[in-house]
Amino acid sequence: MDEGNARSRLLVEPEPVAETALEIDLELEDDLSQTEPEVEPQVGAVGRSTFYATTPIFYVNAAPHMGHAYTTILVDVVTRFHRLKGDDTFFLTGTDEHGENIQKAAEAHAKSPQAYADDVSGQFRSTWDRLGIRYDDFIRTTEERHQKVVREVLQRVYDSGDIVYGEYAGLYCVKCERYYTEKELVDGKCPQHEIVPEYRTEANYFFRMEKYRTWLRDLLHEQPELIRPERYRNEVLAMLREPIGDLSISRPRERVPWGIPLPWDEEHVTYVWFDALINYYSALVDRGSVERYWPHVEHFIAKDILKPHGLFWPIMLKAANIPVYQHLNVHGYWLYDERKMSKSLGNVVRPLDLMKKYGNDAFRYFLVRDMSYGLDANFNEPAIAERINADLANDLGNLLNRTLGMLGRYRDGVVPAAVDMEPADLELRQAFTDLPARFTQLFDELHFDRALESVMEAVRRANKYITDTKPWELAKDEASAARLDTVLNTLLEALRCASIMLDPVIPGKAHELRKQLGIRNAPFELANAGQWGLIPPGTKTVPGDPLFPRIDLEALEREIAEPAPDPATELLADSEPELAAELEHKAEITINDFGRLELRVVTVTSAEQHPNADKLLVLTVQLGPESRTVVSGIKAHYQPDDLVGKRLVLVTNLQPVKLRGVESQGMILAAEDDDGQLSLVTLDRDMVDGSEVR
Ligand code: MSP
């Protein structure tokens, strides 16, 4: 394996999230720019370790909801934290696209499974992009790079004699796509989906899992942290106390054609879980990064999929002679108003609505702060608003406003040097410089909520320090000038340290905070959060808008009490197309106004990646005798090769504009839904290039 090569491929800049040329995305610019700091954490050379984190790959039979967003945001936060430490990180997410469920969902939408999977997978990807998630790879189980590895692993396990052919009869939940034992059922129903399983008999291939039962039990005793928190390790140990049986890992192709055929028997396709779990490994194989990242893999999942990850997966890895993961990190469920929230129960909250309503960083902060990892957490909008008001507006936002306000009044906004530090100053300094070690420990132990609380506790101490040192009184007496300098300097340093530690959770606002401190371009890493005196005296601060405006709780309560559907909490039918409650229309125009627009049919003759912007494509389009260059923000939705030859509609009389150094001579038309999914406007019959659209 060429690790050097793999490295250079992997170290391509992570995709920025703020740039886009399509007007339709402009409304989001504010939100997304919050998550796009211009300065990256510095990479510290000393003690650099490696961190590879995964989310589950999500089923494509429903649009992304808040539960999916939680795991993905959390992995984004944890990966950003490791980047801040200077670690070599890799973050994988993706979609799970095979199996009976997807096949049925596609049928219900009168689409081919592939077209259907393309659609919904695109929704996941664009949702993560709009939430500023910095994944390094997005894997789809229908991609050849994945299927190839699945076939290789299957063949390896088959050759070793651990896969055998046989008959099976049992109770099968079609939603979970797995058999249940009588004991596992609750009132005769699947505990996840609350439906009665079907009795099925099938001739299938079986993976000899039972053979590895004692091996796994011993492993969980040797490595008690392998599955954490402990309650989930105990659950798996309880499963291992009784025979676990063998796992049916194929389905007759005749009945379920939508899957990966077994390499030695094409009449059977691979069971969806056997296929899906391998994604964590296949994504690395394709990039030549197995040696670099696999030994460090950390899976993050919710408790719903503990069994496949805690039981099937380690045994599959063992049978395939691949080292087992470092940790399986299992979290609880988000409940909505104390009720289980899941796509199959239909009470789904859309993450983009919450992000739009509360701001991306505040939404992330709430999710990380209000779930104690491993336990269920309850969610409702007043809870989000209260958390934002208490921690972000009152504690953090206020500290910044008060500090910069006083600095403006007493020192013209210029950072003074600290002179002699007194016990109160030293105490506050200590509270902050001790934090990175504590913060790191809490993060490593999955206590993300407590890690944030430890920073907020220090922030509250800084607010109290203002009350205790009374800078407004020091300002009245010229003899206290040096003392005032020290107090102001101490507060500014405290804010700088807080901004670094909070960076993984509120990257946009933490950047904004440093910008207001006048150090927007200063490099930073976690180690800097434990050092004092890094803001050069003489730095000019740049006060701006409050970081987190207070939310009017009463107005929110009124809004919630009103019967009109609230877009953030509207209940969605499972995978049904969403209908907006009401469309917002623009002001009326006359036919003459419309006539001022020139729209023409064009054919795309080439499509390439923009040289300076990861999210943009540069298209060359032909309209009759003319050809034009168009820069378009559709990269997340279309592969360049798929665009060549497409007939589209171009606004031809739009003033040219330079986008990241390339002139765009017009704009192609596309539709966008509420989830940010794009669809290009095309024609339903052949037309000559240059034909006018009116
Ligand atoms: N496709 C499988 C996973 C295969 S991984 C090799 C699957 N997909 S899923 O779309 O159902 O996603 C399940 C995951 O979504 C959970 O494990 C969790 O990460 C997230 N969540 C779904 N609902 C959730 C809540 N209500 N609360 C918290 N997380 C939730 O299972």
Side-chain angles (χ1 to χ4, degrees):
M1 181 183 321
D2 183 354
E3 274 298 297
N5 236 342
R7 193 178 171 84
S8 57
R9 262 193 293 156
L10 284 170
L11 288 184
V12 287
E13 275 286 285
E15 295 217 335
V17 290
E19 60 192 33
T20 171
L22 271 186
E23 252 82 331
I24 48 183
D25 256 2
L26 287 184
E27 48 147 336
L28 277 168
E29 220 153 63
D30 280 353
D31 277 320
L32 292 182
S33 58
Q34 290 177 6
T35 62
E36 188 52 25
E38 286 150 37
V39 185
E40 289 297 305
Q42 247 180 8
V43 174
V46 188
R48 190 170 201 235
S49 39
T50 306
F51 184 75
Y52 167 35
T54 68
T55 68
I57 47 169
F58 302 108
Y59 286 131
V60 288
N61 57 356
H65 65 62
M66 192 181 117
H68 304 129
Y70 171 70
T71 318
T72 312
I73 287 171
L74 187 84
V75 174
D76 186 59
V77 166
V78 180
T79 316
R80 282 175 189 262
F81 166 72
H82 279 271
R83 249 184 248 136
L84 196 61
K85 272 172 60 185
D87 290 348
D88 175 15
T89 62
F90 193 73
F91 170 4
L92 177 71
T93 188
T95 41
D96 189 354
E97 307 184 4
H98 287 129
E100 234 174 315
N101 270 334
I102 309 300
Q103 193 179 304
K104 284 185 185 155
E107 276 163 21
H109 285 79
K111 283 193 173 171
S112 72
Q114 188 63 61
Y116 178 69
D118 288 350
D119 253 28
V120 186
S121 178
Q123 281 182 42
F124 272 95
R125 200 174 171 139
S126 71
T127 301
W128 301 158
D129 289 344
R130 293 175 75 165
L131 290 173
I133 305 289
R134 286 200 173 180
Y135 52 85
D136 294 292
D137 197 352
F138 187 101
I139 191 155
R140 301 180 55 189
T141 54
T142 49
E143 286 172 301
E144 180 48 31
R145 60 166 173 154
H146 169 73
Q147 305 200 30
K148 185 170 144 261
V149 179
V150 171
R151 286 192 296 266
E152 278 165 16
V153 171
L154 276 165
Q155 190 67 52
R156 208 184 311 166
V157 180
Y158 185 65
D159 291 344
S160 73
D162 279 342
I163 293 178
V164 290
Y165 193 64
E167 277 262 316
Y168 190 82
L171 295 165
Y172 189 83
C173 171
V174 282
K175 290 264 183 183
C176 296
E177 307 219 36
R178 75 170 178 92
Y179 285 97
Y180 274 88
T181 60
E182 297 269 6
K183 253 178 130 180
E184 284 178 296
L185 302 178
V186 177
D187 296 331
K189 290 183 181 167
C190 155
Q192 295 296 331
H193 299 98
E194 298 174 20
I195 54 170
V196 178
E198 294 173 10
Y199 183 77
R200 277 196 184 178
T201 346
E202 244 168 28
N204 283 328
Y205 285 91
F206 288 87
F207 171 47
R208 299 178 59 199
M209 240 174 27
E210 176 60 24
K211 176 178 152 191
Y212 292 96
R213 182 156 66 97
T214 46
W215 165 80
L216 183 56
R217 199 191 52 206
D218 293 347
L219 184 71
L220 286 174
H221 285 297
E222 277 159 32
Q223 295 180 34
E225 290 269 290
L226 189 70
I227 298 178
R228 54 186 189 173
E230 203 186 353
R231 57 197 292 139
Y232 298 111
R233 166 184 176 258
N234 292 341
E235 272 189 40
V236 176
L237 278 173
M239 294 175 204
L240 290 168
R241 247 174 246 133
E242 310 211 350
I244 53 174
D246 292 338
L247 179 69
S248 154
I249 54 104
S250 68
R251 297 290 176 269
R253 197 170 176 183
E254 204 180 52
R255 187 170 62 77
V256 189
W258 187 236
I260 305 173
L262 298 181
W264 64 88
D265 182 350
E266 300 253 315
E267 289 314 303
H268 287 81
V269 298
T270 313
Y271 168 50
V272 66
W273 271 105
F274 204 101
D275 164 354
L277 287 160
I278 293 174
N279 90 87
Y280 300 134
Y281 183 73
S282 66
L284 297 186
V285 174
D286 176 59
R287 308 173 147 261
S289 313
V290 171
E291 281 170 29
R292 182 169 167 191
Y293 291 118
W294 186 256
H296 310 279
V297 59
E298 298 277 340
H299 298 310
F300 289 81
I301 60 163
K303 61 185 185 181
D304 55 339
I305 49 178
L306 175 64
K307 186 168 181 180
H309 284 82
L311 213 61
F312 309 169
W313 185 221
I315 296 180
M316 281 166 63
L317 288 168
K318 172 76 177 160
N321 204 15
I322 299 169
V324 173
Y325 45 73
Q326 285 299 295
H327 297 110
L328 177 65
N329 305 297
V330 189
H331 62 76
Y333 275 149
W334 277 101
L335 305 176
Y336 180 66
D337 269 343
E338 306 295 345
R339 278 182 20 225
K340 185 176 164 187
M341 189 187 69
S342 87
K343 57 191 176 196
S344 24
L345 297 181
N347 60 342
V348 173
V349 179
R350 293 181 295 191
L352 286 179
D353 289 332
L354 295 175
M355 177 263 228
K356 281 184 201 161
K357 190 161 175 180
Y358 296 100
N360 199 30
D361 283 2
F363 174 48
R364 287 166 68 99
Y365 183 87
F366 166 78
L367 290 179
V368 182
R369 175 64 187 83
D370 276 50
M371 180 174 262
S372 172
Y373 202 85
L375 303 177
D376 289 350
N378 189 44
F379 151 79
N380 57 40
E381 289 203 50
I384 297 194
E386 274 162 30
R387 177 60 74 192
I388 295 172
N389 282 352
D391 290 18
L392 300 177
N394 277 4
D395 296 342
L396 183 66
N398 244 347
L399 180 62
L400 179 68
N401 278 355
R402 292 168 84 188
T403 305
L404 291 189
M406 293 188 293
L407 193 74
R409 280 195 297 282
Y410 310 138
R411 293 294 180 264
D412 282 336
V414 176
V415 177
V419 190
D420 290 322
M421 291 187 87
E422 293 189 359
D425 319 324
L426 293 169
E427 214 176 281
L428 188 68
R429 179 174 83 176
Q430 189 77 33
F432 277 90
T433 52
D434 282 351
L435 263 181
R438 170 125 186 87
F439 193 78
T440 303
Q441 190 193 349
L442 289 168
F443 250 68
D444 289 347
E445 291 170 357
L446 308 176
H447 298 306
F448 309 110
D449 54 337
R450 283 164 56 193
L452 288 187
E453 181 49 24
S454 69
V455 180
M456 283 306 159
E457 206 183 292
V459 165
R460 285 193 290 272
R461 282 175 89 141
N463 274 319
K464 181 163 183 300
Y465 169 85
I466 298 181
T467 320
D468 294 345
T469 52
K470 300 188 177 59
W472 48 92
E473 288 192 357
L474 298 174
K476 287 183 197 149
D477 181 2
E478 199 39 46
S480 306
R483 178 79 202 116
L484 180 59
D485 282 354
T486 306
V487 168
L488 292 172
N489 182 287
T490 304
L491 286 167
L492 292 160
E493 285 293 329
L495 279 160
R496 179 187 59 78
C497 291
S499 85
I500 297 174
M501 244 132 8
L502 293 173
D503 198 82
V505 185
I506 50 166
K509 294 294 186 179
H511 174 67
E512 169 65 25
L513 200 164
R514 287 189 293 275
K515 195 166 140 190
Q516 295 201 19
L517 294 182
I519 51 167
R520 63 185 286 181
N521 291 324
F524 63 95
E525 57 178 304
L526 190 66
N528 300 153
Q531 293 160 351
W532 213 245
L534 296 188
I535 308 178
T539 298
K540 181 92 183 105
T541 55
V542 192
D545 291 338
L547 279 189
F548 295 96
R550 273 188 72 79
I551 297 165
D552 181 342
L553 286 177
E554 278 176 22
L556 182 69
E557 296 284 1
R558 273 199 305 277
E559 187 191 310
I560 291 168
E562 274 169 22
D566 170 358
T569 55
E570 198 182 323
L571 302 188
L572 298 181
D574 201 6
S575 67
E576 282 306 310
E578 298 154 28
L579 290 175
E582 220 172 78
L583 294 177
E584 261 183 48
H585 294 290
K586 294 186 179 160
E588 245 173 33
I589 58 167
T590 64
I591 188 75
N592 291 341
D593 293 332
F594 180 75
R596 295 178 58 216
L597 272 183
E598 186 184 313
L599 306 170
R600 287 186 189 273
V601 174
V602 295
T603 301
V604 181
T605 52
S606 77
E608 279 165 20
Q609 172 67 55
H610 191 295
N612 311 318
D614 287 355
K615 290 246 162 151
L616 301 181
L617 291 180
V618 179
L619 312 181
T620 310
V621 297
Q622 198 67 37
L623 57 155
E626 265 179 62
S627 110
R628 297 252 183 126
T629 303
V630 179
V631 178
S632 177
I634 53 173
K635 170 75 192 307
H637 309 265
Y638 290 91
Q639 293 297 324
D641 285 351
D642 297 342
L643 291 168
V644 176
K646 260 199 195 319
R647 259 225 168 135
L648 305 176
V649 176
L650 184 77
V651 186
T652 40
N653 63 338
L654 200 65
Q655 212 169 51
V657 56
K658 256 205 177 156
L659 294 165
R660 295 277 180 117
V662 178
E663 187 175 84
S664 185
Q665 301 157 336
M667 184 178 80
I668 52 170
L669 295 187
E672 187 192 26
D673 68 15
D674 270 1
D675 290 320
Q677 183 68 12
L678 293 192
S679 177
L680 288 168
V681 174
T682 54
L683 300 164
D684 71 352
R685 68 177 53 151
D686 237 14
M687 275 279 169
V688 183
D689 287 343
S691 305
E692 205 167 341
V693 180
R694 12 170 189 251

